[in-house]
Amino acid sequence: MAEPSTPVAHNPLHTALLLALILLVVAAIAGFFPPALQRTVTQAMIMLVVVTGLYTFCGNSGVFSFGHIAFMAIGGYTSAILTILPGKKEVALDLPVWLEQIQLPVSVAGPVAVLFAGLVALLVGLVFMRLRGIALPMATFAMLVIVYVVALNWQAVTGGRQALVGLPRTTGLWTGFGFAALGLFVAALYDRTRHGLALRCSRESEVAAAATGIDLERERLIAFVVSAMIVAAGGVLFAHFLGTMTANTFYLDLTFVTLTMLVVGGMRSLTGACAGVALVSVVSEVFRSIERGFSLGGTTIAAPPGLQEIVLALILLVILLLRPHGLAGDWELTLPGRSQR
Amino acid sequence: MIVVQNLIDAISLGSVYALAALGIGLIFSIMRLINFAHGELIMVGGFVIYALAGNPMLVMALSAIIVVTILALGMERLAFRPLRKASPPTLLIASFAVSYFVQHVILMIFGSRPMGVDFLSVLGESFEFAGLRVPRLQCIAIVVTLALMVGLVVFFRASRIGVQMRAAAEDFTMARLLGVKADRVIAVAFALSGILASFVSLYLVAQTGTVSYKMGVNMVLIAFVASVIGGMGSLTGAALGGFIVGIVSVSLQAYLPEELRPYRDAFVFLLFIAFLLWRPQGLLVRRASERV
């Protein structure tokens, strides 16, 4: 059961600022890393964007969403279609002529994709937010499956079972950092609004929130759209990080990994979201390198594939057992001396 | 005639879905856990059959049932028992973790590629009956499901532990106050869900002839939908939901325009969302009035 949380009078923007500074240091250090490790850090930054988006809805509302990865897919595919060379689209896809001819720079296509995902979230949310209890997470699950099935079969638009290739690979370490920081500030700004406060109030008690005149459906809808747009931005970044799009990338495995990050770190806190991404990324990287193999006294020892996922699942289980509110709980990083309880 | 043919397909598919949904509904009714890892019970059953390929069929089937039941009990003991007081969403996330864990242990041992198994392939043959082609496997699926359901009903009505389980499903706290042993009731529920899951694995392996570490996922998603449609917490509901999803899937497959057929599952889940809006508590559960 949810612990009664003390209203902490901290400023979410301070938290976001501090977290962004830490990210800046991480990015600056990562600049000296070999390329492979740099890519890992970049990917962690992108995941942070996604998890920050998840936090904005799940953390503030207390409702799990299993469907947000679908917004990543929508953002990624939209940006892909707008940025791939017309010649390549002609061969791989079967688009209307105007869509086929269009080729935008990522800096334009990205925001368009994010807005489009936001529009989809608004339409979906208008329907979904009427649901209560376990029905809402189930519906988000259904959305994930629907988007996956459509992406897997809509040959004309997504390339279907074949990977969509040829996306400009524009997401580097510093782009990743920039959007991770931006995501944190957007989430913090939302937290500061009365909508964020109202939604957190409803998380503690739906009845009490309704009694103080909070329109639960509306507040959830606002958070849903904001979070979907942040997640979609993560999807755009990820698409232009990988350079390819496949439907399988955006399904249950990614849903599991991002939810693990959120829950392990603590979904009630922005600091927790960052901690979760950091911990899971580090653990994944360590075990991935063990799977790749390391030499010990002349012989190469390699763990069989799957070890990384097994360890992640165990970490999630242990956290759920020992610290159900995640590593951070309700704790937020704040400027020293400024937090008043 | 084609209608009757489709109906047979629908009922046989529905009966397998019903078995899977019963496994999920059974656990939910007693401990409010939506067990995503149920799909992994089904999957492991498949791999037991794969590992024992070549042995007499009865040995393969019985080993699958035993191993899966033990695995179900193990999941309960190691993962879900310590979390018994957690909220339903937390339990769902935990079952995700268990599922991911089991999947990747199997991946580690057997690799990620789907593998062929020859198990009961004779049942793939059909026999003609009044102008209909009925695959034997479908008939057996229907008969076995009905037998298992009758068995469950007898168990819940006649056995002491069965009655205790029904009491626990009704009101867990009250049942405990009256002397029902929580640990035992939950363990039996998991064992039963394991047995049900292993029969689904037998069917899946016989029907597809392959096993892969992801083979349980689709089935568990469908079983979710089925148990929610019937009403979470109602076993009759879960079975009914299974048949409904079977009928809807087969109808969509048969009557959707050719170019939309690949999207069948998307339509199933779209209908599911519509259903949630219409009757979120499911068909056979009365809406509990909200208490303040």
Side-chain angles (χ1 to χ4, degrees):
Chain A
M1 292 297 103
E3 296 157 4
S5 72
T6 15
V8 185
H10 76 262
N11 186 340
L13 285 175
H14 291 167
T15 306
L17 184 67
L18 286 169
L19 290 171
L21 282 175
I22 296 175
L23 289 184
L24 181 68
V25 174
V26 171
I29 295 172
F32 297 105
F33 287 172
L37 204 53
Q38 234 178 69
R39 276 181 70 77
T40 307
V41 177
T42 310
Q43 187 170 338
M45 296 280 185
I46 299 169
M47 287 305 134
L48 181 57
V49 178
V50 176
V51 175
T52 307
L54 270 176
Y55 157 82
T56 302
F57 180 72
C58 304
N60 286 310
S61 71
V63 177
F64 278 107
S65 164
F66 298 98
H68 268 66
I69 296 305
F71 294 119
M72 252 187 115
I74 292 171
Y77 273 115
T78 311
S79 185
I81 288 164
L82 295 176
T83 53
I84 295 178
L85 286 170
K88 283 188 186 163
K89 281 193 268 189
E90 200 186 333
V91 179
L93 308 175
D94 187 15
L95 294 165
V97 177
W98 65 274
L99 254 183
E100 192 176 284
Q101 289 309 321
I102 219 165
Q103 197 205 357
L104 301 171
V106 179
S107 55
V108 181
V112 172
V114 169
L115 284 176
F116 179 66
L119 186 67
V120 174
L122 178 66
L123 296 176
V124 170
L126 275 171
V127 178
F128 279 14
M129 297 309 135
R130 304 161 60 94
L131 295 167
R132 292 284 180 278
I134 198 83
L136 178 51
M138 296 307 278
T140 60
F141 219 131
M143 175 180 74
L144 179 71
V145 178
I146 291 171
V147 170
Y148 169 72
V149 171
V150 170
L152 197 62
N153 291 292
W154 202 4
Q155 173 66 40
V157 175
T158 65
R161 274 157 217 274
Q162 265 151 1
L164 194 53
V165 295
L167 281 81
R169 287 172 63 167
T170 51
T171 310
L173 180 60
W174 289 100
T175 337
F177 160 73
F179 280 93
L182 183 65
L184 288 173
F185 278 106
V186 172
L189 276 175
Y190 170 78
D191 280 4
R192 263 172 69 93
T193 60
R194 63 196 178 88
H195 301 296
L197 192 60
L199 193 60
R200 283 196 297 283
C201 170
S202 78
R203 174 185 74 188
E204 302 308 327
S205 164
E206 276 186 32
V207 178
T212 50
I214 291 168
D215 182 347
L216 182 63
E217 267 178 51
R218 186 165 143 251
E219 300 307 342
R220 279 187 179 172
L221 180 61
I222 293 169
F224 193 68
V225 174
V226 172
S227 80
M229 286 169 75
I230 301 176
V231 170
V236 172
L237 289 168
F238 201 41
H240 293 286
F241 170 72
L242 296 173
T244 60
M245 290 287 290
T246 52
N248 281 315
T249 312
F250 303 95
Y251 198 39
L252 291 170
D253 284 354
L254 195 53
T255 302
F256 177 79
V257 170
T258 48
L259 278 177
T260 303
M261 290 170 167
L262 185 68
V263 173
V264 165
M267 67 186 261
R268 296 163 65 97
S269 128
L270 202 52
T271 313
C274 289
V277 174
L279 179 73
V280 170
S281 300
V282 168
V283 169
S284 294
E285 179 56 27
V286 167
F287 282 90
R288 213 174 308 147
S289 61
I290 294 177
E291 280 174 19
R292 254 186 259 120
F294 54 94
S295 60
L296 194 78
T299 47
T300 310
I301 300 170
L307 182 66
Q308 182 205 144
E309 287 85 355
I310 290 173
V311 172
L312 277 192
L314 286 179
I315 289 179
L316 178 56
L317 272 177
V318 169
I319 289 284
L320 284 174
L321 284 177
L322 302 180
R323 279 189 79 94
H325 286 300
L327 293 174
D330 278 314
W331 183 77
E332 289 282 17
L333 199 60
T334 46
L335 292 174
R338 288 283 187 83
S339 74
Q340 312 120 10
R341 288 208 169 216
Chain B
M1 215 53 338
I2 190 88
V3 177
V4 184
Q5 181 81 60
N6 283 335
L7 196 65
I8 294 174
D9 288 350
I11 292 175
S12 66
L13 188 64
S15 64
V16 178
Y17 288 171
L19 280 188
L22 270 174
I24 291 205
L26 192 61
I27 303 299
F28 183 86
S29 66
I30 290 181
M31 63 178 291
R32 308 286 124 180
L33 156 68
I34 302 178
N35 188 11
F36 196 82
H38 194 72
E40 272 39 79
L41 296 176
I42 296 171
M43 181 267 286
V44 168
F47 274 90
V48 172
I49 296 168
Y50 170 80
L52 293 177
N55 284 296
M57 180 244 134
L58 203 62
V59 175
M60 289 155 86
L62 277 178
S63 322
I65 296 172
I66 292 167
V67 171
V68 171
T69 308
I70 292 172
L71 179 65
L73 286 169
M75 279 180 185
E76 192 272 326
R77 188 66 194 83
L78 296 174
F80 298 125
R81 188 177 294 185
L83 281 170
R84 203 172 285 165
K85 292 208 172 64
S87 65
T90 308
L91 282 169
L92 176 57
I93 298 278
S95 80
F96 248 125
V98 173
S99 149
Y100 204 67
F101 178 83
V102 177
Q103 270 183 26
H104 287 91
V105 168
I106 294 293
L107 172 98
M108 213 174 192
I109 303 173
F110 293 96
S112 62
R113 270 188 298 169
M115 291 173 294
V117 198
D118 180 32
F119 177 68
L120 294 179
S121 50
V122 281
L123 295 180
E125 293 161 15
S126 316
F127 61 87
E128 300 263 338
F129 177 75
L132 296 169
R133 288 172 49 79
V134 187
R136 288 187 193 163
L137 184 63
Q138 293 195 348
C139 274
I140 294 178
I142 297 173
V143 172
V144 169
T145 303
L146 288 179
L148 283 171
M149 282 179 187
V150 170
L152 271 182
V153 169
V154 171
F155 173 79
F156 283 126
R157 304 236 166 243
S159 78
R160 190 182 169 81
I161 186 90
V163 174
Q164 289 181 349
M165 284 173 75
R166 279 195 296 147
E170 198 73 32
D171 186 336
F172 200 80
T173 318
M174 187 51 144
R176 289 190 76 173
L177 289 174
L178 294 174
V180 170
K181 288 201 171 60
D183 284 354
R184 198 200 297 167
V185 163
I186 291 177
V188 172
F190 268 89
L192 284 178
S193 89
I195 293 171
L196 292 171
S198 59
F199 276 94
V200 178
S201 0
L202 298 182
Y203 173 84
L204 272 187
V205 177
Q207 193 221 7
T208 62
T210 55
V211 291
S212 95
Y213 79 110
K214 291 269 186 198
M215 69 187 273
V217 173
N218 260 333
M219 191 50 95
V220 84
L221 287 176
I222 294 283
F224 263 174
V225 171
S227 54
V228 172
I229 286 177
M232 272 306 205
S234 154
L235 290 186
T236 327
L240 177 69
F243 282 106
I244 291 174
V245 175
I247 291 167
V248 169
S249 298
V250 171
S251 316
L252 285 173
Q253 187 72 36
Y255 300 113
L256 270 183
E258 189 86 50
E259 65 273 16
L260 287 181
R261 262 177 222 172
Y263 301 100
R264 188 194 68 183
D265 286 352
F267 283 100
V268 171
F269 280 87
L270 208 57
L271 288 171
F272 173 58
I273 292 172
F275 179 87
L276 279 177
L277 288 163
W278 171 59
R279 217 180 147 84
Q281 77 277 27
L283 288 173
L284 296 189
V285 174
R286 237 174 287 137
R287 189 192 287 268
S289 57
E290 235 170 278
R291 296 176 112 183
V292 180

